Each structure stands twice: as structure tokens, then as C-alpha cells.
Amino acid sequence: MSEFTTIPNHVKFKAKKLFGEVGRIIDGSIAYIDLEGGGPVEQHTHEHDHLFIVTQGAAKILLGDEEIVLKKDEAFLVKGSIPHATWNISDGETVMIGISVKQEK
């Protein structure tokens, strides 16, 4: 993951690249995940991918037998063909943006 940097010709402005080209955006949503919340209970698959961005708290992404932890200001692209689910692992509410992405062929 990149670090926050000051962009040339900007003042009191720091940015961090979260992702590059990932495919065609289908839709986007924001989720407020309560303490110990998440889901779905059973991991699932589908045709599109998810680009998850955590803006508050921390989330655990179950990705088959693997676990990925995303903290505030981090992003991860989940391949929809791999069984997955997301869970809040912070001490409070986690806020996460989810962008559904169709891979271009």
C-alpha cells in the first residue's frame, strides 16, 4: 500500500492511492458494520468482483481459507469467484465502501 503524500501544486492536502484500474464499475455502496457484525454468515461467490475500502475501523475478509485484514484507509480487490465474507474486527463500528466491478475481457 502506498503512503499519504502531498500532491504537487496542492496546499494542506495529502492523498494516498488506494487502487488503479480494476475493471468496469457496476455500482458502489457504503456499509456501517456494527461490532461483531458482517456477513454473509456463509461465504459466497458471484460473477463480479468487490473492491473494498475501509474508511473507519477494521475489517477481516474471509477469502476461502485465507484471512485478509483491512485497516482504515486500506483497500483490497476480492475476486468474486473465490468464496468470501467480511466481518468487523474493530472495537466499534466499521465503515466500508464496496465497489462492484466487472472484469473486462
Side-chain angles (χ1 to χ4, degrees):
M1 295 282 169
S2 65
E3 298 298 320
F4 284 92
T5 59
T6 300
I7 298 171
N9 302 316
H10 288 67
V11 177
K12 297 183 181 182
F13 184 102
K14 291 183 181 166
K16 175 182 177 179
K17 184 173 184 174
L18 293 175
F19 62 91
E21 184 177 336
V22 294
R24 183 175 58 84
I25 294 175
I26 299 170
D27 61 27
S29 59
I30 188 165
Y32 292 82
I33 310 168
D34 292 334
L35 185 63
E36 299 179 3
V41 175
E42 298 290 328
Q43 294 186 44
H44 69 288
T45 62
H46 39 71
E47 291 184 10
H48 64 274
D49 298 340
H50 288 303
L51 176 61
F52 290 126
I53 305 167
V54 173
T55 62
Q56 175 183 304
K60 172 175 63 177
I61 301 172
L62 300 174
L63 196 58
D65 295 330
E66 188 178 0
E67 290 185 5
I68 306 294
V69 172
L70 285 185
K71 298 176 186 168
K72 182 180 182 300
D73 300 327
E74 293 183 341
F76 187 80
L77 180 67
V78 173
K79 296 290 184 185
S81 59
I82 299 172
H84 59 276
T86 59
W87 296 93
N88 178 355
I89 58 168
S90 70
D91 294 334
E93 183 177 68
T94 288
V95 180
M96 186 166 60
I97 295 171
I99 300 170
S100 297
V101 177
K102 180 176 182 178
Q103 291 299 319
E104 301 296 327
K105 294 182 181 188

XYZ file of all heavy atoms in Angstrom:
814
model
N 0.841 -1.186 0.000
C 0.000 0.000 0.000
C 0.887 1.251 0.000
O 1.918 1.274 0.641
C -0.894 0.034 1.242
C -1.898 -1.075 1.322
S -3.267 -0.731 0.244
C -4.075 -2.286 0.279
N 0.445 2.247 -0.700
C 1.208 3.491 -0.736
C 0.959 4.296 0.527
O 0.033 4.030 1.287
C 0.806 4.305 -1.974
O -0.543 4.715 -1.872
N 1.782 5.278 0.744
C 1.651 6.175 1.893
C 0.995 7.467 1.434
O 0.922 7.770 0.247
C 3.040 6.465 2.484
C 3.744 5.230 3.013
C 3.009 4.544 4.151
O 2.465 5.249 5.011
O 2.975 3.305 4.157
N 0.540 8.271 2.391
C -0.009 9.585 2.065
C 1.120 10.508 1.639
O 2.193 10.514 2.243
C -0.730 10.181 3.281
C -2.067 9.567 3.527
C -2.201 8.481 4.375
C -3.198 10.069 2.902
C -3.441 7.916 4.603
C -4.445 9.499 3.118
C -4.568 8.426 3.972
N 0.892 11.266 0.568
C 1.878 12.225 0.078
C 1.174 13.534 -0.271
O -0.036 13.562 -0.493
C 2.604 11.715 -1.177
O 1.644 11.460 -2.200
C 3.387 10.452 -0.892
N 1.948 14.593 -0.326
C 1.413 15.869 -0.771
C 1.570 15.940 -2.281
O 2.647 15.720 -2.823
C 2.160 17.042 -0.113
O 1.995 16.935 1.308
C 1.621 18.379 -0.582
N 0.478 16.221 -2.943
C 0.463 16.284 -4.399
C 0.998 17.647 -4.839
O 0.653 18.664 -4.234
C -0.975 16.066 -4.914
C -1.440 14.665 -4.499
C -1.057 16.246 -6.417
C -2.886 14.395 -4.759
N 1.830 17.688 -5.878
C 2.348 18.980 -6.352
C 1.216 19.976 -6.617
O 0.134 19.602 -7.084
C 3.076 18.611 -7.651
C 3.463 17.180 -7.469
C 2.334 16.572 -6.672
N 1.479 21.227 -6.310
C 0.548 22.342 -6.505
C -0.695 22.269 -5.623
O -1.709 22.883 -5.919
C 0.139 22.482 -7.978
C 1.332 22.697 -8.876
O 2.225 23.486 -8.542
N 1.387 21.994 -9.976
N -0.646 21.500 -4.540
C -1.731 21.433 -3.569
C -1.214 21.953 -2.227
O -0.033 21.814 -1.917
C -2.233 20.000 -3.389
C -3.004 19.492 -4.558
N -2.440 19.261 -5.796
C -4.310 19.162 -4.678
C -3.359 18.806 -6.626
N -4.508 18.740 -5.969
N -2.090 22.516 -1.428
C -1.722 23.067 -0.134
C -2.556 22.388 0.948
O -3.780 22.256 0.809
C -1.976 24.594 -0.116
C -1.657 25.179 1.248
C -1.176 25.283 -1.210
N -1.869 21.931 2.025
C -2.539 21.251 3.135
C -3.437 20.133 2.611
O -4.605 20.008 2.966
C -3.338 22.239 3.984
C -2.452 23.286 4.649
C -3.249 24.199 5.535
C -2.326 25.228 6.159
N -3.031 26.100 7.062
N -2.880 19.307 1.745
C -3.627 18.273 1.025
C -2.739 17.044 0.920
O -1.651 17.111 0.359
C -3.970 18.813 -0.372
C -4.820 17.920 -1.220
C -6.169 18.175 -1.365
C -4.270 16.840 -1.896
C -6.971 17.371 -2.176
C -5.053 16.025 -2.705
C -6.413 16.295 -2.841
N -3.164 15.924 1.482
C -2.420 14.667 1.377
C -3.324 13.620 0.762
O -4.509 13.561 1.059
C -1.933 14.215 2.741
C -0.859 15.113 3.309
C -0.355 14.610 4.620
C 0.692 15.565 5.142
N 1.008 15.332 6.538
N -2.757 12.792 -0.080
C -3.532 11.759 -0.752
C -2.767 10.443 -0.735
O -1.547 10.416 -0.633
C -3.820 12.176 -2.191
N -3.529 9.365 -0.850
C -2.962 8.019 -0.872
C -3.709 7.238 -1.942
O -4.941 7.165 -1.919
C -3.161 7.359 0.492
C -2.729 5.931 0.586
C -3.031 5.402 1.981
C -2.668 3.947 2.103
N -2.947 3.445 3.464
N -2.992 6.677 -2.900
C -3.632 5.882 -3.943
C -4.115 4.572 -3.341
O -3.341 3.831 -2.732
C -2.659 5.612 -5.092
C -3.293 4.889 -6.245
C -2.337 4.795 -7.411
C -3.018 4.156 -8.606
N -2.187 4.172 -9.784
N -5.401 4.298 -3.501
C -5.982 3.072 -2.963
C -6.063 1.959 -3.997
O -6.018 0.786 -3.656
C -7.383 3.349 -2.403
C -7.422 4.245 -1.179
C -8.862 4.551 -0.800
C -6.686 3.593 -0.021
N -6.240 2.309 -5.270
C -6.310 1.298 -6.314
C -6.122 1.945 -7.661
O -6.274 3.143 -7.821
C -7.643 0.528 -6.265
C -8.865 1.382 -6.482
C -9.392 1.580 -7.747
C -9.490 1.984 -5.413
C -10.517 2.358 -7.937
C -10.619 2.765 -5.591
C -11.133 2.958 -6.848
N -5.769 1.127 -8.637
C -5.653 1.560 -10.021
C -6.817 0.992 -10.809
O -7.883 0.711 -10.255
N -6.614 0.764 -12.091
C -7.678 0.233 -12.932
C -8.039 -1.172 -12.473
O -7.171 -2.019 -12.291
C -7.220 0.197 -14.386
C -8.305 -0.258 -15.325
C -7.873 -0.216 -16.777
O -6.961 0.556 -17.113
O -8.457 -0.964 -17.564
N -9.335 -1.408 -12.258
C -9.785 -2.708 -11.774
C -10.868 -3.327 -12.647
O -11.305 -4.436 -12.401
C -10.298 -2.632 -10.315
C -9.173 -2.305 -9.363
C -11.431 -1.636 -10.187
N -11.354 -2.645 -13.660
C -12.434 -3.144 -14.499
C -13.524 -2.087 -14.611
O -13.313 -0.923 -14.291
N -14.716 -2.509 -15.023
C -15.838 -1.582 -15.178
C -16.667 -1.571 -13.898
O -17.092 -2.620 -13.409
C -16.715 -2.008 -16.354
C -17.866 -1.050 -16.613
C -18.647 -1.418 -17.863
N -19.201 -2.763 -17.843
C -20.368 -3.082 -17.264
N -21.081 -2.178 -16.651
N -20.806 -4.322 -17.308
N -16.892 -0.386 -13.350
C -17.672 -0.258 -12.121
C -19.141 -0.519 -12.415
O -19.723 0.092 -13.304
C -17.480 1.127 -11.480
C -16.032 1.276 -10.998
C -18.461 1.346 -10.328
C -15.686 2.640 -10.467
N -19.733 -1.443 -11.667
C -21.150 -1.762 -11.774
C -21.952 -0.879 -10.833
O -22.943 -0.268 -11.205
C -21.401 -3.248 -11.447
C -20.648 -4.141 -12.427
C -22.903 -3.557 -11.454
C -20.635 -5.603 -12.029
N -21.527 -0.837 -9.574
C -22.188 0.006 -8.574
C -21.273 0.176 -7.372
O -20.215 -0.429 -7.291
C -23.551 -0.574 -8.152
C -23.453 -1.951 -7.506
O -22.411 -2.284 -6.918
O -24.436 -2.702 -7.584
N -21.691 1.010 -6.445
C -20.936 1.246 -5.222
C -21.880 1.447 -4.062
O -23.006 1.911 -4.240
N -21.433 1.083 -2.874
C -22.256 1.257 -1.683
C -21.362 1.523 -0.486
O -20.149 1.339 -0.537
C -23.110 0.008 -1.443
O -22.285 -1.127 -1.288
N -21.988 1.967 0.600
C -21.280 2.180 1.851
C -21.965 1.337 2.909
O -23.202 1.247 2.924
C -21.223 3.672 2.228
C -20.309 3.897 3.438
C -22.617 4.242 2.441
C -19.925 5.343 3.652
N -21.178 0.680 3.750
C -21.725 -0.186 4.790
C -21.250 0.293 6.154
O -20.074 0.627 6.325
C -21.278 -1.622 4.558
N -22.160 0.323 7.101
C -21.862 0.593 8.505
C -22.025 -0.743 9.222
O -23.134 -1.244 9.355
C -22.804 1.649 9.061
C -22.570 3.006 8.447
C -23.120 3.345 7.221
C -21.758 3.935 9.098
C -22.883 4.588 6.647
C -21.515 5.175 8.524
C -22.079 5.497 7.307
O -21.836 6.718 6.735
N -20.912 -1.323 9.644
C -20.925 -2.672 10.206
C -20.748 -2.579 11.722
O -19.714 -2.128 12.206
C -19.815 -3.538 9.586
C -19.862 -3.456 8.048
C -19.932 -4.984 10.045
C -18.654 -4.042 7.360
N -21.761 -3.008 12.445
C -21.730 -2.957 13.903
C -20.673 -3.894 14.479
O -20.206 -4.821 13.802
C -23.102 -3.338 14.481
C -24.166 -2.299 14.182
O -23.821 -1.119 13.989
O -25.352 -2.677 14.143
N -20.343 -3.684 15.739
C -19.406 -4.526 16.467
C -19.818 -5.988 16.299
O -20.988 -6.330 16.487
C -19.404 -4.128 17.943
C -18.412 -4.817 18.859
C -16.986 -4.506 18.429
C -18.618 -4.350 20.294
N -18.879 -6.839 15.918
C -19.071 -8.266 15.686
C -20.031 -8.567 14.534
O -20.505 -9.682 14.379
C -19.531 -8.978 16.967
C -18.516 -8.869 18.086
C -18.965 -9.543 19.371
O -20.053 -10.164 19.395
O -18.232 -9.442 20.345
N -20.326 -7.569 13.695
C -21.229 -7.762 12.570
C -20.479 -8.059 11.287
O -19.264 -7.931 11.207
N -21.236 -8.426 10.279
C -20.662 -8.691 8.965
C -21.477 -9.728 8.230
O -22.643 -9.947 8.534
N -20.844 -10.349 7.277
C -21.553 -11.402 6.575
C -21.158 -11.483 5.116
O -20.264 -10.777 4.661
N -21.833 -12.350 4.414
C -22.873 -13.235 4.925
C -22.285 -14.308 5.833
O -21.075 -14.519 5.852
C -23.489 -13.848 3.671
C -22.407 -13.787 2.655
C -21.594 -12.561 2.987
N -23.171 -14.986 6.583
C -22.718 -15.995 7.540
C -21.929 -17.085 6.821
O -20.883 -17.517 7.290
C -23.920 -16.575 8.321
C -23.467 -17.711 9.221
C -24.595 -15.479 9.123
N -22.424 -17.535 5.673
C -21.697 -18.494 4.845
C -21.001 -17.725 3.722
O -21.599 -16.846 3.112
C -22.665 -19.514 4.228
C -23.406 -20.358 5.247
C -22.503 -21.335 5.953
O -21.528 -21.817 5.339
O -22.772 -21.617 7.146
N -19.733 -18.049 3.449
C -19.035 -17.399 2.346
C -19.797 -17.652 1.046
O -20.434 -18.682 0.891
C -17.606 -17.922 2.241
C -16.738 -17.544 3.440
C -15.305 -17.946 3.235
O -14.743 -17.739 2.171
N -14.698 -18.525 4.258
N -19.738 -16.685 0.122
C -20.478 -16.780 -1.133
C -19.588 -16.399 -2.310
O -18.510 -15.849 -2.121
C -21.712 -15.863 -1.088
C -21.353 -14.407 -1.089
N -20.789 -13.770 -0.005
C -21.454 -13.470 -2.068
C -20.576 -12.505 -0.306
N -20.954 -12.290 -1.551
N -20.061 -16.685 -3.521
C -19.373 -16.299 -4.750
C -20.382 -15.638 -5.685
O -21.592 -15.748 -5.481
C -18.758 -17.523 -5.477
O -19.803 -18.414 -5.854
C -17.750 -18.242 -4.608
N -19.871 -14.955 -6.700
C -20.698 -14.355 -7.743
C -19.805 -13.960 -8.905
O -18.580 -14.070 -8.820
C -21.510 -13.164 -7.224
C -20.766 -12.309 -6.273
N -19.740 -11.488 -6.643
C -20.889 -12.167 -4.930
C -19.265 -10.866 -5.587
N -19.938 -11.263 -4.527
N -20.402 -13.479 -9.990
C -19.649 -13.183 -11.208
C -18.775 -11.942 -11.102
O -17.727 -11.870 -11.723
C -20.605 -13.039 -12.389
C -21.256 -14.338 -12.782
C -22.131 -14.186 -14.013
O -22.091 -13.120 -14.667
O -22.856 -15.137 -14.308
N -19.195 -10.931 -10.343
C -18.423 -9.689 -10.265
C -17.465 -9.702 -9.070
O -17.599 -10.530 -8.170
C -19.360 -8.470 -10.184
C -20.197 -8.450 -8.946
N -21.400 -9.115 -8.863
C -20.005 -7.857 -7.750
C -21.922 -8.927 -7.662
N -21.092 -8.178 -6.967
N -16.495 -8.813 -9.101
C -15.533 -8.653 -8.011
C -15.987 -7.520 -7.099
O -16.842 -6.711 -7.467
C -14.144 -8.320 -8.578
C -13.595 -9.425 -9.471
O -14.074 -10.573 -9.373
O -12.686 -9.122 -10.262
N -15.415 -7.470 -5.890
C -15.672 -6.379 -4.950
C -14.362 -5.647 -4.674
O -13.362 -6.288 -4.342
C -16.162 -6.894 -3.590
C -17.535 -7.436 -3.565
N -18.634 -6.725 -3.959
C -18.002 -8.627 -3.155
C -19.714 -7.460 -3.789
N -19.355 -8.631 -3.310
N -14.385 -4.351 -4.765
C -13.281 -3.530 -4.294
C -13.742 -2.947 -2.969
O -14.696 -2.162 -2.931
C -12.950 -2.417 -5.293
C -11.869 -1.451 -4.854
C -10.539 -2.177 -4.631
C -11.701 -0.341 -5.861
N -13.127 -3.373 -1.865
C -13.497 -2.896 -0.531
C -12.506 -1.844 -0.065
O -11.288 -2.025 -0.186
C -13.520 -4.046 0.477
C -14.641 -5.011 0.274
C -14.379 -6.363 0.142
C -15.957 -4.581 0.217
C -15.411 -7.274 -0.030
C -17.002 -5.483 0.047
C -16.725 -6.829 -0.078
N -13.016 -0.750 0.495
C -12.203 0.330 1.057
C -12.713 0.615 2.458
O -13.894 0.941 2.631
C -12.299 1.613 0.209
C -11.932 1.334 -1.245
C -11.420 2.715 0.804
C -12.301 2.459 -2.203
N -11.858 0.473 3.468
C -12.247 0.752 4.852
C -11.942 2.214 5.161
O -10.817 2.669 4.960
C -11.518 -0.186 5.834
C -11.782 0.219 7.271
C -11.950 -1.624 5.605
N -12.957 2.947 5.619
C -12.776 4.364 5.970
C -12.797 4.591 7.472
O -12.439 5.672 7.929
C -13.847 5.239 5.298
O -15.138 4.850 5.770
C -13.778 5.119 3.783
N -13.226 3.583 8.226
C -13.237 3.669 9.697
C -13.213 2.252 10.252
O -13.868 1.364 9.717
C -14.503 4.380 10.165
C -14.689 4.429 11.672
C -15.994 5.094 12.040
O -16.246 6.220 11.635
N -16.824 4.415 12.807
N -12.454 2.039 11.309
C -12.401 0.723 11.932
C -11.478 -0.229 11.201
O -10.482 0.176 10.606
N -11.840 -1.513 11.225
C -11.049 -2.555 10.569
C -11.968 -3.705 10.196
O -12.942 -3.991 10.897
C -9.936 -3.053 11.486
N -11.651 -4.363 9.093
C -12.462 -5.478 8.624
C -11.579 -6.679 8.323
O -10.446 -6.535 7.875
C -13.236 -5.083 7.368
N -12.135 -7.848 8.579
C -11.486 -9.105 8.203
C -12.250 -9.634 6.996
O -13.473 -9.740 7.027
C -11.550 -10.102 9.350
C -11.065 -11.495 8.991
C -11.022 -12.433 10.177
C -12.390 -12.666 10.758
N -12.397 -13.632 11.865
N -11.525 -9.932 5.940
C -12.125 -10.539 4.758
C -11.743 -12.010 4.767
O -10.553 -12.343 4.735
C -11.640 -9.867 3.464
C -11.990 -8.376 3.471
C -12.233 -10.556 2.245
C -11.389 -7.594 2.329
N -12.746 -12.864 4.864
C -12.515 -14.294 4.724
C -12.524 -14.569 3.236
O -13.494 -14.269 2.545
C -13.615 -15.080 5.427
C -13.754 -14.818 6.921
C -14.967 -15.545 7.479
C -12.490 -15.224 7.659
N -11.448 -15.117 2.735
C -11.258 -15.333 1.301
C -10.860 -16.792 1.106
O -9.674 -17.124 1.128
C -10.173 -14.379 0.803
C -10.030 -14.145 -0.669
C -11.320 -13.600 -1.278
C -8.893 -13.173 -0.951
N -11.869 -17.671 1.006
C -11.589 -19.102 1.006
C -11.033 -19.469 2.369
O -11.645 -19.207 3.388
N -9.834 -20.063 2.403
C -9.187 -20.423 3.672
C -8.264 -19.325 4.190
O -7.632 -19.486 5.222
C -8.364 -21.707 3.492
C -9.240 -22.907 3.174
O -10.400 -22.922 3.630
O -8.770 -23.814 2.469
N -8.189 -18.216 3.482
C -7.282 -17.114 3.830
C -8.052 -15.995 4.542
O -9.249 -15.830 4.348
C -6.677 -16.570 2.533
C -5.575 -15.569 2.709
C -5.003 -15.120 1.370
O -5.449 -15.576 0.310
O -4.093 -14.277 1.424
N -7.349 -15.238 5.379
C -7.925 -14.059 6.018
C -7.089 -12.837 5.658
O -5.865 -12.863 5.774
C -7.954 -14.201 7.543
C -8.934 -15.209 8.045
C -9.027 -15.232 9.564
O -8.387 -14.388 10.242
O -9.732 -16.108 10.081
N -7.756 -11.786 5.215
C -7.106 -10.517 4.884
C -7.647 -9.488 5.872
O -8.864 -9.415 6.080
C -7.460 -10.063 3.447
C -7.150 -11.143 2.423
C -6.804 -8.726 3.124
C -5.701 -11.477 2.259
N -6.781 -8.690 6.484
C -7.223 -7.633 7.389
C -7.028 -6.292 6.701
O -5.942 -5.999 6.200
C -6.443 -7.673 8.725
C -6.774 -6.463 9.580
C -6.744 -8.969 9.468
N -8.101 -5.505 6.662
C -8.053 -4.152 6.108
C -8.271 -3.163 7.232
O -9.249 -3.269 7.971
C -9.169 -3.938 5.076
C -9.020 -4.555 3.715
C -10.170 -4.110 2.819
C -7.712 -4.156 3.088
N -7.366 -2.210 7.333
C -7.496 -1.145 8.332
C -7.944 0.127 7.635
O -8.030 0.182 6.399
C -6.160 -0.941 9.042
C -5.710 -2.173 9.795
C -4.356 -1.970 10.405
C -3.880 -3.269 11.033
N -2.478 -3.222 11.388
N -8.218 1.157 8.420
C -8.637 2.449 7.883
C -7.694 2.890 6.773
O -6.476 2.754 6.893
C -8.661 3.484 9.012
C -9.126 4.857 8.585
C -9.110 5.800 9.780
C -9.604 7.165 9.440
N -8.882 7.884 8.427
N -8.265 3.382 5.674
C -7.523 3.896 4.519
C -6.784 2.816 3.747
O -5.791 3.079 3.087
C -6.542 5.008 4.928
C -7.234 6.193 5.557
O -8.381 6.497 5.175
O -6.631 6.834 6.438
N -7.282 1.574 3.810
C -6.723 0.491 3.011
C -7.808 -0.084 2.113
O -8.997 0.006 2.412
C -6.136 -0.613 3.897
C -4.917 -0.169 4.664
C -4.294 -1.272 5.492
O -4.956 -2.292 5.778
O -3.124 -1.103 5.868
N -7.383 -0.694 0.998
C -8.320 -1.253 0.024
C -7.843 -2.639 -0.396
O -6.649 -2.961 -0.318
C -8.406 -0.347 -1.199
N -8.812 -3.463 -0.864
C -8.482 -4.800 -1.346
C -9.525 -5.210 -2.377
O -10.717 -5.000 -2.181
C -8.472 -5.801 -0.189
C -7.982 -7.167 -0.586
C -6.626 -7.425 -0.701
C -8.877 -8.189 -0.840
C -6.171 -8.676 -1.075
C -8.437 -9.446 -1.210
C -7.081 -9.693 -1.332
N -9.070 -5.830 -3.476
C -9.966 -6.323 -4.514
C -10.218 -7.813 -4.288
O -9.287 -8.614 -4.303
C -9.365 -6.108 -5.909
C -10.234 -6.581 -7.067
C -11.501 -5.728 -7.181
C -9.450 -6.516 -8.369
N -11.480 -8.153 -4.042
C -11.888 -9.536 -3.818
C -12.416 -10.103 -5.128
O -13.357 -9.556 -5.707
C -12.989 -9.619 -2.728
C -13.525 -11.036 -2.614
C -12.456 -9.130 -1.396
N -11.824 -11.174 -5.599
C -12.322 -11.867 -6.791
C -13.631 -12.556 -6.425
O -13.686 -13.334 -5.468
C -11.309 -12.903 -7.293
C -10.009 -12.303 -7.767
C -10.234 -11.550 -9.053
C -8.931 -11.014 -9.604
N -9.150 -10.196 -10.782
N -14.686 -12.255 -7.178
C -16.000 -12.800 -6.878
C -16.085 -14.302 -6.986
O -16.948 -14.932 -6.374
N -15.182 -14.913 -7.747
C -15.191 -16.367 -7.933
C -14.628 -17.125 -6.731
O -14.768 -18.341 -6.638
C -14.398 -16.739 -9.187
O -13.060 -16.285 -9.077
N -13.991 -16.410 -5.800
C -13.434 -17.025 -4.591
C -14.446 -16.837 -3.457
O -14.898 -15.711 -3.215
C -12.077 -16.389 -4.218
C -11.068 -16.589 -5.354
C -11.548 -16.985 -2.917
C -9.765 -15.841 -5.149
N -14.822 -17.901 -2.726
C -15.763 -17.746 -1.616
C -15.253 -16.689 -0.635
O -14.075 -16.687 -0.267
C -15.787 -19.136 -0.966
C -15.375 -20.066 -2.069
C -14.391 -19.284 -2.894
N -16.172 -15.782 -0.219
C -15.744 -14.677 0.636
C -16.866 -14.168 1.533
O -18.040 -14.399 1.269
C -15.192 -13.515 -0.214
C -16.195 -12.978 -1.175
N -16.418 -13.550 -2.411
C -17.046 -11.913 -1.101
C -17.350 -12.874 -3.058
N -17.765 -11.877 -2.269
N -16.459 -13.474 2.593
C -17.356 -12.790 3.522
C -16.523 -11.736 4.240
O -15.292 -11.809 4.268
C -17.955 -13.761 4.533
N -17.176 -10.723 4.816
C -16.454 -9.665 5.528
C -17.023 -9.502 6.937
O -18.236 -9.632 7.150
C -16.558 -8.309 4.797
O -17.932 -7.943 4.682
C -15.939 -8.383 3.421
N -16.139 -9.191 7.887
C -16.539 -9.045 9.290
C -15.814 -7.869 9.934
O -14.645 -7.622 9.655
C -16.226 -10.333 10.063
C -17.033 -11.465 9.553
C -16.670 -12.367 8.592
C -18.370 -11.779 9.917
N -17.708 -13.226 8.338
C -18.760 -12.898 9.145
C -19.277 -11.231 10.814
C -20.021 -13.468 9.255
C -20.526 -11.817 10.922
C -20.890 -12.915 10.150
N -16.506 -7.177 10.816
C -15.925 -6.095 11.597
C -15.040 -6.698 12.688
O -15.488 -7.547 13.452
C -17.056 -5.269 12.237
C -16.552 -4.142 13.109
O -15.363 -3.994 13.342
N -17.463 -3.336 13.600
N -13.793 -6.260 12.773
C -12.894 -6.747 13.825
C -12.376 -5.606 14.687
O -11.413 -5.770 15.416
C -11.719 -7.567 13.245
C -10.906 -6.735 12.245
C -12.222 -8.862 12.620
C -9.584 -7.372 11.863
N -13.025 -4.450 14.618
C -12.596 -3.314 15.434
C -13.370 -3.292 16.748
O -14.264 -4.117 16.980
C -12.807 -2.001 14.671
O -14.185 -1.722 14.556
N -13.032 -2.341 17.600
C -13.705 -2.188 18.893
C -15.006 -1.412 18.781
O -15.685 -1.212 19.779
C -12.777 -1.473 19.888
C -11.560 -2.317 20.238
O -11.653 -3.560 20.137
O -10.531 -1.740 20.608
N -15.345 -0.948 17.602
C -16.565 -0.179 17.385
C -17.064 -0.417 15.972
O -16.744 -1.426 15.345
N -17.817 0.525 15.467
C -18.374 0.418 14.124
C -17.276 0.497 13.060
O -16.340 1.277 13.194
C -19.368 1.565 13.925
C -20.088 1.558 12.605
C -21.095 2.687 12.529
O -20.654 3.864 12.493
O -22.297 2.405 12.530
N -17.390 -0.311 12.028
C -16.513 -0.225 10.868
C -17.323 0.318 9.698
O -18.463 -0.091 9.487
C -15.913 -1.593 10.513
O -14.944 -1.942 11.506
C -15.227 -1.595 9.155
N -16.725 1.241 8.962
C -17.369 1.801 7.774
C -16.539 1.366 6.577
O -15.317 1.548 6.548
C -17.457 3.341 7.849
C -18.121 3.902 6.599
C -18.206 3.775 9.108
N -17.239 0.780 5.590
C -16.546 0.239 4.440
C -17.313 0.573 3.170
O -18.531 0.442 3.113
C -16.419 -1.286 4.577
C -15.590 -1.942 3.507
S -15.116 -3.641 3.895
C -16.682 -4.435 4.064
N -16.570 1.020 2.170
C -17.152 1.271 0.841
C -16.913 0.015 0.011
O -15.812 -0.537 0.012
C -16.495 2.498 0.183
C -16.830 3.746 0.997
C -16.947 2.634 -1.267
C -16.077 4.977 0.580
N -17.948 -0.417 -0.669
C -17.849 -1.570 -1.559
C -18.187 -1.164 -2.971
O -19.248 -0.599 -3.224
N -17.290 -1.427 -3.893
C -17.498 -1.109 -5.293
C -17.534 -2.422 -6.058
O -16.569 -3.196 -6.014
C -16.373 -0.197 -5.821
C -16.342 1.116 -5.024
C -16.570 0.079 -7.315
C -15.136 1.977 -5.308
N -18.667 -2.705 -6.718
C -18.791 -3.927 -7.526
C -18.163 -3.669 -8.882
O -18.467 -2.664 -9.530
C -20.263 -4.310 -7.686
O -20.812 -4.605 -6.419
N -17.298 -4.587 -9.318
C -16.509 -4.402 -10.523
C -16.662 -5.607 -11.440
O -16.526 -6.752 -10.997
C -15.010 -4.227 -10.166
C -14.162 -4.103 -11.418
C -14.800 -3.054 -9.237
N -16.944 -5.333 -12.708
C -16.969 -6.393 -13.719
C -15.639 -6.358 -14.455
O -15.225 -5.305 -14.950
C -18.113 -6.173 -14.708
C -18.195 -7.241 -15.766
C -19.379 -7.043 -16.671
C -19.453 -8.155 -17.688
N -20.621 -8.023 -18.572
N -14.968 -7.483 -14.500
C -13.689 -7.543 -15.192
C -13.918 -7.515 -16.685
O -14.789 -8.216 -17.212
C -12.920 -8.803 -14.796
C -12.441 -8.778 -13.371
C -11.496 -7.633 -13.093
O -10.629 -7.311 -13.903
N -11.681 -6.982 -11.955
N -13.164 -6.664 -17.372
C -13.225 -6.584 -18.827
C -12.441 -7.747 -19.408
O -11.393 -8.109 -18.907
C -12.636 -5.243 -19.304
C -13.367 -4.027 -18.736
C -14.810 -3.907 -19.173
O -15.124 -4.313 -20.320
O -15.630 -3.427 -18.383
N -12.956 -8.314 -20.478
C -12.275 -9.475 -21.085
C -11.542 -9.078 -22.329
O -11.698 -8.133 -22.934
C -13.303 -10.546 -21.402
C -13.892 -11.071 -20.120
C -14.887 -12.168 -20.399
C -15.448 -12.609 -19.049
N -16.261 -13.721 -19.069
